[in-house]
Amino acid sequence: LVAAAALAGARISRRAGVAIVAVGAVGVLANIKQLDNAEQFFSDYAPRARAALGAIEIAGASVSPDYRPEAQPGLGGSVPAHFPVQAGPYLQAVDRFGSYAFSGTELLQQDAAIRESADRVVASAERLALRPSGGASAGRCRELSAGGTVRELHPGTVSLRASAPARVRLGRFAEGYPVDLGELRPGRPVTLSIPRDADARPWRIEIGGGTSTRICLPSTS
């Protein structure tokens, strides 16, 4: 536009006109490619961002106000790059302006990778982890064989004690068990505290490996 204004009234040769058109065509094609790249980036970014924001909203009162998904080492592939969200200010903005995030029902409609990422962010925000236990197990106890699962894991304290090394994984919105909590050591009891959050859908737990694991569930599970 600046060049056109500067050359207003000037006589341009046929050769120069062809050159200008060629340069303009190259510029247009380059910009189309840039727009296509941007479209692909945001088509991937938007659902992953909405899933991560939904996970923070689900965690709700359980998440620390200074929690930032992008800063968590275990969430490198579960949140989009350049995701400058901090839980406290974000939840305040939701209270004031409404939510941009996927709801729990909408999360279930996303593809497998998005649902797995949401599970990992919820678990991270709620600080779900296996912690050593020195006390007696409470609740309803039973033995799980290798590869056993519990389909409904409600809020409360879960106690685990394995007879052989066994891997503990959780799932909630995903069909599988994308949240890896680590390995149980034989004879060493641990607990898993599950907070009550903004979604009524229960967690599921899978015990992989080992021979048998004793699990004690909260009375509501």
Side-chain angles (χ1 to χ4, degrees):
L1 293 176
V2 173
L7 294 173
R11 295 181 62 83
I12 299 175
S13 68
R14 180 181 181 85
R15 181 175 297 178
V18 170
I20 291 171
V21 170
V23 171
V26 171
V28 169
L29 292 174
N31 277 282
I32 289 174
K33 179 59 178 175
Q34 290 293 326
L35 288 171
D36 182 64
N37 291 342
E39 189 274 337
Q40 293 182 34
F41 173 80
F42 284 112
S43 292
D44 173 71
Y45 186 100
R48 293 206 291 152
R50 294 183 70 189
L53 295 175
I56 291 175
E57 291 184 33
I58 288 169
S62 301
V63 64
S64 172
D66 60 358
Y67 175 78
R68 294 178 57 238
E70 189 181 34
Q72 308 306 309
L75 296 180
S78 299
V79 295
H82 313 298
F83 187 63
V85 172
Q86 188 170 332
Y90 171 71
L91 292 174
Q92 291 176 2
V94 170
D95 288 340
R96 185 173 181 181
F97 302 109
S99 174
Y100 167 76
F102 287 137
S103 65
T105 300
E106 289 172 329
L107 279 173
L108 291 175
Q109 299 169 1
Q110 306 308 307
D111 62 35
I114 297 296
R115 286 181 283 145
E116 290 173 1
S117 295
D119 278 357
R120 294 190 188 101
V121 178
V122 174
S124 172
E126 295 184 349
R127 291 165 286 186
L128 300 186
L130 301 177
R131 295 179 171 85
S133 171
S137 299
R140 298 182 295 107
C141 301
R142 57 172 151 156
E143 295 290 327
L144 283 181
S145 58
T149 63
V150 176
R151 303 296 296 179
E152 292 190 2
L153 210 60
H154 295 283
T157 300
V158 179
S159 300
L160 298 159
R161 186 186 184 101
S163 59
R167 205 80 189 172
V168 180
R169 294 182 174 88
L170 299 178
R172 193 172 185 181
F173 294 97
E175 291 184 6
Y177 299 83
V179 180
D180 188 347
L181 294 183
E183 190 173 75
L184 297 174
R185 296 184 179 181
R188 297 190 180 182
V190 299
T191 59
L192 169 64
S193 295
I194 299 178
R196 190 175 302 278
D197 57 28
D199 195 283
R201 188 171 290 99
W203 286 96
R204 294 169 283 108
I205 190 170
E206 177 187 63
I207 310 297
T211 54
S212 67
T213 300
R214 183 174 176 79
I215 181 169
C216 300
L217 305 172
S219 57
T220 55
S221 292

